Amino acid sequence: MKRKPIFAANWKMNKGASETEDFVKSLLSKLQGKDIPADIVISPPFISLPKLADLLHNANAGQNAHAIQIAAQNCSQHDSGAFTGEVSVMMLREFYVHYVILGHSERRSIFGETDEVINAKMKKALETNLKPIFCIGETLEEREAGKLESVLRTQVTEGLKGLSNSDMSETVIAYEPVWAIGTGVTASSDQAQEAHAFVRSLIEELYGSEIASKVRIQYGGSVKPGNAAELMACPDIDGALIGGASLEPQSFLEVIQNGSEG
Ligand code: PGA
């Protein structure tokens, strides 16, 4: 089963509107004339979404611009109302947002998001045709205690609870070992492949083999131009969620190019 890889830049709390503009102009010029066999996604802070949407969707943006899709870094599980500081899925839709990152380890550990909250957000996103990039992954402590599979099993079964087959077909999974995020330490390709194959087997248990063979599972955690090719060569790795190395257009492009060559 050949799956189209998906490379998503997770900028986290970096780049306001003017830096977003500089980045996108530079990336678009670098993409000129290149035919990249992968989906490319940028996920800026909320405040930069209008600028990004404008840059990618105005009439003069050119054909490369349309190859880049937009993700939000979070969304509310509620439609509207008294939720100070929150952003709804309908608000995101106004800015051509296609994807939303949910369950990122920073949301889980710093902002206390539980599997239940993440599940509610997944459902809300899918209701409005936003495709979740559903993040899972174990801490070093959990891995060393031999709990890798049980942690992933819980995150997958609780996070995806109640999702239909068609919901699952719209969902991208990102396996991100917490110990590899922002640390410069990457999972070896063997470690990553093993976890990805296990996650795919969980999807097969829950949704059957056809959906499992189609679901795209990104790897995330210190992906760089130098390690992208080896990681992406693994049979169950279908792209990457990239933090640090996505902040410069050149290194983001090199990750995409090196990772989609194979
Ligand atoms: P990193 O972040 O590439 O800086 O490790 C990845 C992520 O958190 O999605």
Side-chain angles (χ1 to χ4, degrees):
M1 171 83 224
K2 186 95 181 111
R3 293 173 293 267
K4 191 175 187 189
I6 171 168
F7 293 91
N10 176 12
W11 286 351
K12 311 191 181 187
M13 200 174 72
N14 295 291
K15 298 194 191 295
S18 62
E19 283 181 90
T20 296
E21 180 165 4
D22 294 345
F23 180 101
V24 171
K25 286 185 171 160
S26 163
L27 182 65
L28 289 178
S29 77
K30 290 175 192 295
L31 282 171
Q32 203 72 41
K34 293 195 170 71
D35 186 17
I36 293 184
D39 288 336
I40 303 174
V41 179
I42 296 177
S43 188
F46 286 135
I47 196 83
S48 304
L49 287 170
K51 173 60 79 183
L52 184 58
D54 196 41
L55 288 162
L56 297 180
H57 289 270
N58 80 45
N60 304 318
Q63 76 183 85
N64 284 325
H66 297 283
I68 300 176
Q69 287 175 316
I70 304 175
Q73 294 178 15
N74 188 17
C75 69
S76 172
Q77 67 271 47
H78 305 289
D79 288 324
S80 64
F83 301 102
T84 301
E86 293 290 279
V87 173
S88 77
V89 285
M90 289 313 286
M91 294 169 186
L92 297 174
R93 296 286 307 172
E94 283 187 45
F95 293 104
Y96 304 97
V97 174
H98 265 83
Y99 293 94
V100 57
I101 298 172
L102 293 173
H104 191 279
S105 77
E106 287 147 23
R107 299 295 320 168
R108 291 177 189 265
S109 67
I110 305 171
F111 300 100
E113 289 193 12
T114 60
D115 289 322
E116 199 183 355
V117 166
I118 294 159
N119 180 247
K121 292 183 176 194
M122 295 282 293
K123 288 178 176 157
K124 187 53 69 184
L126 287 158
E127 252 175 43
T128 30
N129 298 324
L130 270 188
K131 297 174 193 295
I133 296 178
F134 170 60
C135 305
I136 53 174
E138 81 291 356
T139 62
L140 189 58
E141 209 177 28
E142 289 163 340
R143 175 174 275 267
E144 286 176 345
K147 293 185 185 153
L148 170 66
E149 294 195 352
S150 69
V151 167
L152 295 179
R153 179 178 288 277
T154 303
Q155 289 175 338
V156 166
T157 49
E158 297 300 313
L160 303 180
K161 199 177 248 170
L163 265 58
S164 66
N165 285 5
S166 75
D167 288 339
M168 195 59 228
S169 306
E170 299 297 315
T171 298
V172 174
I173 298 177
Y175 167 66
E176 299 201 298
V178 178
W179 46 273
I181 296 178
T183 57
V185 180
T186 319
S188 68
S189 50
D190 286 348
Q191 286 172 319
Q193 168 56 27
E194 194 187 348
H196 280 236
F198 178 68
V199 172
R200 200 176 297 286
S201 76
L202 291 174
I203 301 302
E204 184 170 352
E205 263 178 46
L206 295 168
Y207 293 95
S209 57
E210 195 182 333
I211 289 178
S213 71
K214 288 187 182 149
V215 69
R216 294 186 291 181
I217 309 177
Q218 297 176 302
Y219 169 80
S222 300
V223 175
K224 304 179 267 267
N227 60 25
E230 190 186 338
L231 285 161
M232 299 308 131
C234 297
D236 286 295
I237 301 184
D238 312 307
L241 185 56
I242 308 132
S246 76
L247 294 172
E248 293 297 331
Q250 186 59 32
S251 62
F252 183 44
L253 180 66
E254 283 175 20
V255 167
I256 297 167
Q257 284 183 313
N258 299 350
S260 55
E261 258 164 17

